[in-house]
């Protein structure tokens, strides 16, 4: 698994690998980059007065991990055969979490172009999923694991109050483009950047939309009057952040635009992949103060 991750992400090919798993009657997926390992579910120690979605804790070698029961998160009945369940050990937002699932099937290699954004009519899927893909006559939902974690512990999300630690800020007349597929995170980014003095931010729902905008500006010769810096998430339908960054840095007309990758996937062992595609900065969500510091340096 690790070897394949290296191949995909270092090349910035707009591809990903998805681990498919089952919870209740639903079929779901998780990006391999978020997964550290998958184990048979051991006995779980209950935690009194914990969030309803938290089943308890387990010890895995030298670490104590919180177990989140996805049947509870997704509204399915409890597992009929918990002794057969699996734990997906995931790392995101600088936090390791164990997610209980019923079974894990296989890994699929996909292009981000195959992944569609859930629509407003998809029975509120947008609150649970970041994307939908059809594989082997199945509709697979890519779950929004970051939102699941933040719903349980809001301190793991972006908070406008964090910006106040920077003290009084002057308004900056800099134009920022941001590629971020989560409507919730778009609003949080807008509010926190505005608090920091950066109130001219244009948002796009994925890397493809941001790239099309840059291509349009390039055709008008107006790129550097309209874009002082670009912020991009990594996981996005149509075009991911690594691929967007690489395309910008390989384009003679765009390569001087500073690019900051802002993602829950900026872990120590993945950091160098952003360097390979030419990112000027990389910040792990939810470190908004660090993000603002890098913007200050680059613009």
């Amino acid at each position: 698994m690790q070897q394949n991750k290296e191949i995909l992400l270092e090349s910035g090919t707009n591809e990903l690998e998805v681990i498919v798993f089952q919870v209740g009657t639903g079929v779901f997926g998780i990006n391999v980059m978020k997964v550290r390992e998958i184990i048979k579910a051991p006995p779980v120690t209950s935690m009194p007065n914990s969030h309803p979605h938290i089943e308890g804790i387990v010890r895995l070698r030298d670490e104590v991990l919180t177990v989140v029961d996805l049947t509870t998160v997704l509204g399915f009945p409890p597992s009929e055969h918990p002794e057969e369940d699996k734990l997906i050990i995931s790392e995101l937002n600088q936090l390791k979490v164990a997610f209980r699932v019923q079974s894990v099937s296989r890994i699929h290699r996909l292009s981000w172009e195959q992944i569609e954004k859930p629509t407003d009519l998809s029975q509120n899927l947008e609150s649970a999923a970041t994307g939908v893909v059809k594989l082997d006559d199945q509709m697979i939902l890519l779950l929004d694991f970051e939102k699941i974690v933040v719903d349980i512990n809001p301190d793991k999300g972006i908070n406008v109050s964090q910006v106040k630690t920077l003290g009084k800020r002057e308004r900056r007349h800099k134009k920022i483009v941001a590629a971020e597929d989560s409507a919730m995170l778009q609003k949080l980014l807008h509010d926190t950047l505005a608090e920091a003095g950066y109130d001219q931010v244009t948002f796009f729902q994925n890397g493809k939309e941001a790239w099309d905008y840059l291509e349009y500006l390039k055709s008008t010769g107006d790129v550097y009057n309209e874009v002082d810096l670009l912020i991009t998430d990594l996981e996005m339908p149509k075009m991911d952040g690594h691929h967007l960054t690489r395309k910008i840095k390989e384009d003679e007309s765009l390569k001087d635009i500073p690019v900051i990758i802002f993602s829950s996937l900026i872990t120590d062992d993945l950091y160098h992949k952003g360097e390979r595609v030419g990112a000027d900065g990389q910040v792990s969500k939810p470190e908004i103060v660090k993000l603002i510091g890098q913007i200050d340096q680059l613009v």
Side-chain angles (χ1 to χ4, degrees):
M1 183 185 297
Q2 183 65 34
Q3 184 179 5
N4 285 340
K5 284 157 67 177
E6 295 284 336
I7 293 171
L8 289 175
L9 297 178
E10 288 201 17
S11 60
T13 57
N14 205 37
E15 293 176 296
L16 75 159
E17 287 181 323
V18 171
I19 297 175
V20 177
F21 60 90
Q22 186 167 342
V23 178
T25 57
V27 181
F28 304 93
I30 182 171
N31 191 333
V32 167
M33 288 198 298
K34 295 179 179 176
V35 178
R36 291 296 162 259
E37 57 184 307
I38 300 171
I39 63 173
K40 183 177 180 179
V44 176
T45 301
S46 298
M47 295 290 290
N49 301 318
S50 59
H51 190 281
H53 295 166
I54 293 179
E55 180 181 348
I57 57 174
V58 294
R59 177 176 285 278
L60 182 61
R61 294 181 289 275
D62 295 329
E63 292 183 287
V64 176
L65 302 179
T66 299
V67 178
V68 174
D69 188 348
L70 288 182
T71 59
T72 304
V73 173
L74 299 170
F76 288 107
S79 175
E80 294 181 1
H81 303 284
E83 71 281 358
E84 298 177 6
D85 288 354
K86 301 291 190 293
L87 293 184
I88 297 177
I89 311 302
S90 179
E91 185 173 359
L92 57 151
N93 285 6
Q94 299 182 320
L95 182 71
K96 283 188 179 179
V97 182
F99 293 99
R100 178 184 285 273
V101 304
Q102 271 67 75
S103 64
V104 177
S105 57
R106 56 174 294 188
I107 297 175
H108 292 272
R109 179 170 175 164
L110 307 170
S111 167
W112 281 104
E113 293 178 354
Q114 296 174 250
I115 297 171
E116 299 292 335
K117 181 79 173 172
T119 68
D120 294 337
L121 300 178
S122 301
Q123 298 180 342
N124 204 29
L125 284 181
E126 191 167 357
S127 65
T130 59
V132 182
V133 61
K134 185 176 181 181
L135 284 176
D136 300 331
D137 297 322
Q138 289 182 314
M139 296 297 288
I140 297 171
L141 302 183
L142 300 183
L143 288 183
D144 191 342
F145 288 91
E146 289 80 358
K147 184 176 186 299
I148 292 170
V149 169
V150 172
D151 284 347
I152 294 172
N153 185 355
D155 289 341
K156 294 299 177 182
I158 297 172
N159 194 321
V160 178
S161 64
Q162 296 170 347
V163 182
K164 297 187 186 302
T165 63
L166 297 173
K168 183 172 176 59
R169 304 270 301 182
E170 297 297 327
R171 183 174 174 182
R172 312 289 181 91
H173 297 283
K174 299 293 183 179
K175 296 180 180 179
I176 296 174
V177 169
E180 168 59 66
D181 65 319
S182 166
M184 177 188 70
L185 284 176
Q186 281 191 16
K187 184 178 188 311
L188 287 171
L189 264 178
H190 174 273
D191 292 347
T192 50
L193 290 176
E195 181 71 20
Y198 297 107
D199 59 359
Q200 298 187 52
V201 185
T202 303
F203 285 95
F204 295 95
Q205 292 191 18
N206 57 62
K208 177 69 165 55
E209 289 185 3
W211 174 252
D212 289 345
Y213 178 64
L214 294 178
E215 287 270 86
Y216 165 73
L217 292 179
K218 191 169 69 170
S219 70
T220 66
D222 212 24
V223 174
Y224 291 98
N225 289 327
E226 297 298 326
V227 183
D228 292 296
L229 180 137
L230 183 139
I231 301 169
T232 181
D233 190 13
L234 283 183
E235 291 187 295
M236 295 178 290
K238 302 301 181 184
M239 184 185 294
D240 70 15
H242 279 144
H243 193 59
L244 173 61
T245 304
R246 167 158 283 180
K247 287 176 73 70
I248 291 170
K249 294 304 180 180
E250 289 181 348
D251 189 302
E252 287 296 321
S253 301
L254 303 172
K255 66 181 183 180
D256 291 329
I257 297 174
V259 177
I260 299 176
I261 295 174
F262 186 52
S263 168
S264 64
L265 297 177
I266 307 298
T267 54
D268 290 342
D269 58 335
L270 292 174
Y271 188 87
H272 71 281
K273 296 177 175 64
E275 293 181 320
R276 293 284 181 89
V277 295
D280 298 279
Q282 299 181 77
V283 181
S284 176
K285 293 175 181 174
E287 294 184 313
I288 190 68
V289 172
K290 185 175 179 181
L291 174 66
I292 292 166
Q294 290 209 1
I295 296 174
D296 289 346
Q297 293 176 16
L298 292 170
V299 299

